[in-house]
Amino acid sequence: MTTPLTLAYKRAFNRRNIIKGAAALTAMAASMKGVSAATVTPFGQTGSPTRSTNPLPLGPLPGSRYPDARLESAKPTVSFGPANFPAFAGTMAVERVATGFRWAEGPVYFAAGRYVLFSDIPNNRIMRFSEDDGHVSVYRQPSMNSNGNTIDREGRLITCEHSGRRVTRTELDGSITIIADKYNGKRLNSPNDAVVTSDGAIWFTDPVYGIGGYYEGVKAEPEQEKHNVYRVDSKSGDIKVVVDDFVEPNGIALSPDEKKLYVIDTGFTDAPTNPSHIRSFDLDVSAGKMSNGKVFAEMPKPSITDGVRTDTEGRVWLSVGWGDPNEDGVRCYTPAGELLGKIHIPGTLANLCFGGQQRNRLCICGSSSLYAVYTSAQGSMKP
């Protein structure tokens, strides 16, 4: 079991450090004279970790027992545990594994290091949770108010950034490559979530949430008239619009066979008559095209779904929040769109991913905390 996030900074105090510091300040002053007329737009909100004298407790949530009552089957039968719902995995319960964030988002699991990376958007940082010992640390700060993260087929981190209004890739040597920041000569709005297909192409959503204020990014006017879903070709780097009729495209995920692409529309946040649902599309990876879009599942307004992942059987797992507290949690659907069950989480959810060595541990970003629960399903190997 880990402890709530605490960061300590220590510097050695000696004569050598003082001399080096003085030299650095002199050099900085000289360079500043040459650029005194330049201004740099600051990042969004940074460096204000959530502090509490009574942090949320870690470990199994209060009142947990086997089978955990927070797992609710849509079609319960008399059996051991919530039958017909692949969240049930025996002696397990929903756990809070890390806490102390302002808004946790965009988890992605790295099997080689056995850790989960996720964004703490207002605090402008990417966090790392190590599942072997429960240690929590800062992976990157500033993160350009990163939101969604995924991993490509070479094990590289793909990140959607609010402040940068771009999609980036962290190379294996730690350097950062800009994948997309403009379309038709104009800046993107605020990339939100991304997936990578087997040909290396990156597909991402671009709503306007990250430029709506200064809390999760930098307030600005949108330059793209429509809120699109884009595809970036892995060889040429060309970016093109693949869908342009969303109100606010949000979470995105692939089916395990890459024949379907799921995209969430959270347009309900803008107006009560707008959609709160997830759509599915037929996907042609080789042609780089989506077609036959249809509503896969409606959410119970005023709740919305934000994040989506699939498992190896093609089931679709969605985060739900922002509405009725009784609906806060995760929903699981069959590939045909039939609700199988719910996992109730105490708080508004953002996104989720499958982690663990067997890809059977669902990692869930919920408000100020990271939750986890073992399932009887395995996450799709596709990012």
Side-chain angles (χ1 to χ4, degrees), residues 342-360:
K342 306 174 184 178
I343 303 173
H344 295 279
I345 302 292
T348 290
L349 266 60
N351 215 320
L352 67 168
C353 75
F354 281 95
Q357 292 285 280
Q358 303 299 326
R359 305 192 314 282
N360 64 332

Side-chain angles (χ1 to χ4, degrees), residues 55-367:
L56 294 173
L58 302 183
L61 298 180
S64 295
R65 65 182 298 275
Y66 306 137
D68 192 342
R70 293 178 179 84
L71 278 61
E72 177 189 348
S73 177
K75 295 182 178 181
T77 60
V78 179
S79 67
F80 184 69
N84 305 316
F85 183 29
F88 180 68
T91 55
M92 48 65 67
V94 177
E95 303 171 85
R96 184 184 292 111
V97 297
T99 192
F101 318 106
R102 288 206 175 271
W103 179 247
E105 255 279 19
V108 58
Y109 183 75
F110 283 77
R114 294 193 63 192
Y115 58 80
V116 179
L117 295 183
F118 60 97
S119 299
D120 184 2
I121 304 179
N123 280 321
N124 203 357
R125 58 187 182 174
I126 296 176
M127 306 304 299
R128 173 174 47 209
F129 169 76
S130 298
E131 70 171 0
D132 55 346
D133 64 359
H135 179 67
V136 181
S137 60
V138 175
Y139 175 80
R140 176 180 298 157
Q141 188 176 32
S143 67
M144 304 294 280
N145 298 104
S146 63
N147 188 332
N149 297 284
T150 191
I151 187 172
D152 72 6
R153 305 310 167 92
E154 296 182 39
R156 298 172 297 186
L157 174 67
I158 305 296
T159 300
C160 296
E161 301 175 353
H162 282 178
S163 292
R165 298 172 70 169
R166 64 188 189 181
V167 179
T168 64
R169 180 177 65 226
T170 302
E171 306 296 347
L172 299 180
D173 64 0
S175 60
I176 295 176
T177 299
I178 298 174
I179 300 299
D181 62 353
K182 292 183 176 66
Y183 176 69
N184 282 345
K186 297 180 179 180
R187 298 187 71 185
L188 298 173
N189 292 326
S190 60
N192 187 286
D193 201 10
V195 292
V196 184
T197 44
S198 55
D199 63 346
I202 297 173
W203 309 64
F204 69 93
T205 59
D206 189 39
V208 295
Y209 296 126
I211 56 175
Y214 297 103
Y215 187 62
E216 293 192 357
V218 178
K219 187 174 182 179
E221 291 297 320
E223 296 184 26
Q224 299 296 331
E225 180 182 357
K226 294 186 176 183
H227 306 164
N228 302 315
V229 179
Y230 295 93
R231 176 187 181 272
V232 182
D233 187 84
S234 61
K235 297 182 175 63
S236 66
D238 291 340
I239 177 174
K240 72 175 184 178
V241 174
V242 288
V243 182
D244 67 356
D245 63 348
F246 277 80
V247 180
E248 295 288 3
N250 205 312
I252 186 171
L254 292 163
S255 64
D257 58 7
E258 293 192 339
K259 293 183 178 180
K260 294 286 185 182
L261 187 70
Y262 298 96
V263 185
I264 290 169
D265 194 335
T266 49
F268 178 72
T269 60
D270 297 0
T273 56
N274 285 343
S276 175
H277 60 214
I278 179 171
R279 293 165 63 184
S280 66
F281 297 84
D282 293 334
L283 183 64
D284 187 334
V285 172
S286 60
K289 295 181 179 180
M290 299 161 58
S291 61
N292 300 324
K294 62 181 180 180
V295 174
F296 175 78
E298 293 281 359
M299 294 300 108
K301 293 179 178 179
S303 295
I304 62 171
T305 176
D306 187 328
V308 54
R309 290 293 182 266
T310 63
D311 64 27
T312 54
E313 300 299 318
R315 290 176 291 245
V316 179
W317 301 71
L318 298 167
S319 64
V320 179
W322 294 101
D324 183 352
N326 294 319
E327 296 293 342
D328 287 348
V330 176
R331 288 186 164 212
C332 177
Y333 293 84
T334 68
E338 179 184 7
L339 180 64
L340 287 173
K342 306 174 184 178
I343 303 173
H344 295 279
I345 302 292
T348 290
L349 266 60
N351 215 320
L352 67 168
C353 75
F354 281 95
Q357 292 285 280
Q358 303 299 326
R359 305 192 314 282
N360 64 332
R361 194 182 195 191
L362 197 61
C363 302
I364 307 161
C365 284
S367 302

